[in-house]
Amino acid sequence: GSGKSVTNLTILGLHDRDRTAIEGEILLDDKELLTASERELERLRGNKMAMIFQDALASLSPYHTVGKQISETYRKHTGASKKESRERAIEMLKRVGIPQPEVRVDDYPHLFSGGMRQRAMIA
Ligand SMILES: Nc1ncnc2c1ncn2[C@@H]1O[C@H](COP(=O)(O)OP(=O)(O)OP(=O)(O)O)[C@@H](O)[C@H]1O
Ligand SMILES: [Mg+2]
C-alpha cells in the first residue's frame, strides 16, 4: 500500500484528471505527460508505455477469448489484418511461455491459470 499502483496509473494518465492535483513533472523522452492531451496519451499508451495490471482476471474481459483480446489490441495499434493479428497473438502467447499457443489462443480467460493470465496480459 505504498502507492505503486496509484503512481503508475497517474503516469499513464489513467487517474481522475479533473479531480486530482499533482505537483512536479512526469517526463517520457523529454515529453511532459501531465499537460499532454488525451489524444497524445492514447498514442503513447500501448506503444511507448504500458502497465501490467495486478489483477489479470479483472483486466481481461470474460466475454472474449484471450487471443481476441490480444489481437484486437494489436489491430487497433497497427492496422494489421485480422489474420495477421491472430498469428501475432499466437506468437506473443508462445513468447510468454503459454504451451500449445495455437490451441490456447481460443480459450476464455477463466480457463487460464492465474500465472498464465498474467502472462497473457504481458503478451
Ligand atoms: N481509488 C482510491 N481511492 C482512495 N484511496 C485509494 C485508491 N486507490 C488506492 N488508494 C489508497 O492509496 C494507497 C496506495 O495504494 P496503491 O494501490 O497505489 O498501493 P500499492 O503500492 O500498489 O500496493 P500493493 O503492493 O498492495 O499493490 C493505499 O493506502 C490505498 O488504500
Ligand atoms: Mg498495487
Side-chain angles (χ1 to χ4, degrees):
S2 62
K4 299 178 295 293
S5 292
V6 163
T7 302
N8 285 290
L9 285 168
T10 306
I11 290 171
L12 289 173
L14 295 175
H15 58 297
D16 187 345
R17 293 178 105 197
D18 297 330
R19 292 201 292 172
T20 38
I22 296 157
E23 283 180 41
E25 49 185 18
I26 303 174
L27 299 175
L28 178 70
D29 295 341
D30 293 330
K31 175 150 193 62
E32 173 56 74
L33 297 184
L34 280 177
T35 51
S37 69
E38 187 53 36
R39 251 183 99 100
E40 284 176 291
L41 288 175
E42 270 176 20
R43 253 201 308 271
L44 293 171
R45 276 188 222 122
N47 288 325
K48 299 251 352 153
M49 57 180 185
M51 181 156 165
I52 311 297
F53 292 100
Q54 210 158 5
D55 184 351
L57 196 53
S59 309
L60 292 162
S61 163
Y63 294 108
H64 303 283
T65 62
V66 171
K68 184 170 167 111
Q69 294 180 62
I70 297 171
S71 60
E72 288 288 298
T73 306
Y74 182 72
R75 240 160 78 79
K76 187 168 159 79
H77 278 281
T78 62
S81 71
K82 279 193 177 169
K83 188 169 177 287
E84 191 198 327
S85 303
R86 180 184 164 84
E87 278 161 16
R88 192 94 173 106
I90 293 170
E91 190 187 313
M92 295 309 290
L93 286 173
K94 188 175 180 174
R95 278 183 65 184
V96 296
I98 304 293
Q100 289 187 286
E102 57 293 319
V103 177
R104 295 301 216 146
V105 69
D106 294 320
D107 273 358
Y108 286 86
H110 73 274
L111 296 173
F112 272 34
S113 73
M116 286 164 74
R117 277 178 214 134
Q118 285 209 315
R119 280 181 279 148
M121 288 298 298
I122 293 168

